[in-house]
Amino acid sequence: MTRILLLGGTTEAGQLARLLADAGVQAVFSYAGRTAKPLPQPLPTRIGGFGGVPGLVEYLGSQGITHIVDATHPFAAGMSRNAIDASRLTGLPLIGLERAPWVRQSGDDWTSVTDFESAAASLPGDGSGVFLAIGRQNLASFLGRAHRWMLRFAEVASHPLPDATLIVSRGPFSVPGDTELLRRHDIRHIVAKNAGGVAAQPKLTAARALGLPVVMIDRPRLPARRVVALPEQVMAWLHGAERGV
């Protein structure tokens, strides 16, 4: 019998969870636990880490998992690498559900960098307003730099950076809303992870219209694996696996 481990954390993971539940497929939805109040899912849910690759391998065996779906955030590289290693060690099939990255458009002023340290180093250090649209896990690289920071989190959190303004809001966002936000806080630069998707894209459209430069952090590189972009494609893959295709 098919039993899925769905490693979630994205909008697409939630969409896939609904498809699995509606189809009556046995599955477990796994959250990393970085959000205190994650969105409810229509599947049995577990929260927290596995204890690295050995813990994940043990969990897969003890729970009778037959397939792994990695629908984590494109920047959750540690979990994705663990899933790849666990799939290799157990022989269980793995598929990544990964949204396409954002692509530079006409009128965009982007500087592409490979990591957070390079993103911090690319800022002018002139005290201007910067929208750090990178979540709360990777802020250390920006400590001690002379800027007014604006952060936007889905939940209330302490200010991890001096001179930081915290906006508590959960997407999806809108172009008018993000345009007004950037103007109100006199933002001169945006630092963003290339997460892709539509929910957080309005800040880039707003930046384009306002002529604001964006420092875009490339996605981390992962070992080769099967990847699709849509939840429906995962369902088709599972259907093919059940038929031995």
Side-chain angles (χ1 to χ4, degrees), residues 81-119:
R81 292 189 182 103
N82 288 352
I84 292 169
D85 287 345
S87 171
R88 175 178 53 80
L89 290 170
T90 61
L92 296 181
L94 163 72
I95 194 167
L97 175 56
E98 183 178 297
R99 66 182 73 141
W102 292 314
V103 177
R104 188 193 310 262
Q105 298 186 26
S106 176
D108 284 332
D109 181 6
W110 287 11
T111 298
S112 295
V113 297
T114 58
D115 53 45
F116 297 94
E117 291 75 16
S118 299

Side-chain angles (χ1 to χ4, degrees), residues 7 19 26 32 35 43 98 121 123 127 130-131 137 189 198 217 226:
L7 303 170
L19 292 177
Q26 288 196 26
T35 302
L43 295 173
E98 183 178 297
L123 294 172
V130 177
F131 179 15
Q137 303 297 321
H189 306 270
V198 299
I217 303 170
R226 183 193 298 265

Side-chain angles (χ1 to χ4, degrees), residues 102-190:
W102 292 314
V103 177
R104 188 193 310 262
Q105 298 186 26
S106 176
D108 284 332
D109 181 6
W110 287 11
T111 298
S112 295
V113 297
T114 58
D115 53 45
F116 297 94
E117 291 75 16
S118 299
S122 71
L123 294 172
D126 57 1
S128 56
V130 177
F131 179 15
L132 277 185
I134 61 172
R136 69 182 71 186
Q137 303 297 321
N138 303 103
L139 298 174
S141 299
F142 300 88
L143 286 169
R145 302 205 174 248
H147 282 285
R148 293 181 294 102
W149 308 107
M150 185 179 78
L151 312 173
R152 181 163 64 186
F153 297 156
E155 298 176 334
V156 175
S158 59
H159 286 199
L161 287 174
D163 301 318
T165 297
L166 176 60
I167 308 298
V168 180
S169 181
R170 189 189 294 267
F173 304 104
S174 70
V175 174
D178 275 4
T179 300
E180 191 276 334
L181 186 71
L182 296 173
R183 283 175 169 161
R184 173 158 42 96
H185 292 276
D186 192 24
I187 297 301
R188 301 296 179 178
H189 306 270
I190 297 175

Side-chain angles (χ1 to χ4, degrees), residues 12 70-72 74 80 96-101 219 222 225 227-230:
E12 292 78 11
D70 178 12
T72 57
S80 293
L97 175 56
E98 183 178 297
R99 66 182 73 141
R219 294 179 178 185
L222 293 173
R225 58 176 182 163
V227 176
V228 296
L230 300 174

